[in-house]
Amino acid sequence: MAFTATRGGTHGQPMSDMNVTPFIDVLLALLIMFIMVIPIATHALLIPLPNGQGEQPILENNLVHIDRSDRLYWNGAEMDRQRLLNQLASVAEIPKPDQPVVRFEPDALASYQTSARAIALIKDSGIENFAFVGNEKYREFGKAD
């Protein structure tokens, strides 16, 4: 228990205040440990990148099609997303004046998410000759083949 000293050097009454210095020391030590343990936040941006050449032949007019089961096709050949990206990158490597046309034709019952991702894939690959085709089949909303 701490006592207060008077001016005369004699001890006075006991202090009624609590000594919080050890409490603050422990809190600061815990804070430093938490700062050291918590990992540094890193920002990750996942960008799909081509990892090879396209496997299918590149024609003058190429068709990217999505069927009602959300499967991707390049000129009738079924592909996954990475293979389609590789194929699109191969088309984008062709010089601009001679670059072939890539046409996009989703099925009426293809999901919007798959269609939007395919369009973003085509856009991000750097293709400039791009067209939507087949929309005239769906002039009336809700009608599918």
Side-chain angles (χ1 to χ4, degrees):
M1 182 179 284
F3 292 92
T4 59
T6 60
R7 289 189 186 178
T10 60
H11 292 292
Q13 299 205 359
M15 286 179 48
S16 62
D17 295 337
M18 185 173 142
N19 187 5
V20 293
T21 303
F23 178 68
I24 292 173
D25 290 343
V26 169
L27 285 180
L28 289 175
L30 286 173
L31 180 64
I32 290 170
M33 283 192 275
F34 281 131
I35 289 173
M36 291 172 52
V37 170
I38 294 175
I40 297 173
T42 57
H43 181 69
L45 181 61
L46 301 176
I47 299 173
L49 296 173
N51 59 7
Q53 292 294 319
E55 302 166 358
Q56 299 296 321
I58 299 172
L59 307 174
E60 182 75 22
N61 290 309
N62 300 286
L63 178 67
V64 174
H65 177 70
I66 302 174
D67 67 359
R68 60 183 66 210
S69 299
D70 290 340
R71 291 181 298 225
L72 296 168
Y73 294 90
W74 173 269
N75 293 333
E78 186 174 354
M79 300 193 144
D80 61 357
R81 185 176 163 85
Q82 185 62 48
R83 288 177 52 208
L84 179 61
L85 178 61
N86 293 342
Q87 192 71 33
L88 292 168
S90 296
V91 173
E93 289 175 356
I94 298 173
K96 302 298 182 208
D98 299 326
Q99 196 176 79
V101 177
V102 174
R103 302 178 314 157
F104 180 68
E105 182 179 11
D107 189 81
L109 298 176
S111 73
Y112 176 79
Q113 181 179 13
T114 305
S115 299
R117 285 182 178 170
I119 292 170
L121 206 62
I122 293 169
K123 176 186 163 280
D124 292 343
S125 67
I127 292 175
E128 292 188 2
N129 296 332
F130 175 67
F132 290 95
V133 295
N135 296 334
E136 66 278 356
K137 296 185 283 187
Y138 313 115
R139 289 180 193 247
E140 292 183 36
F141 185 73
K143 300 254 179 165
D145 292 341

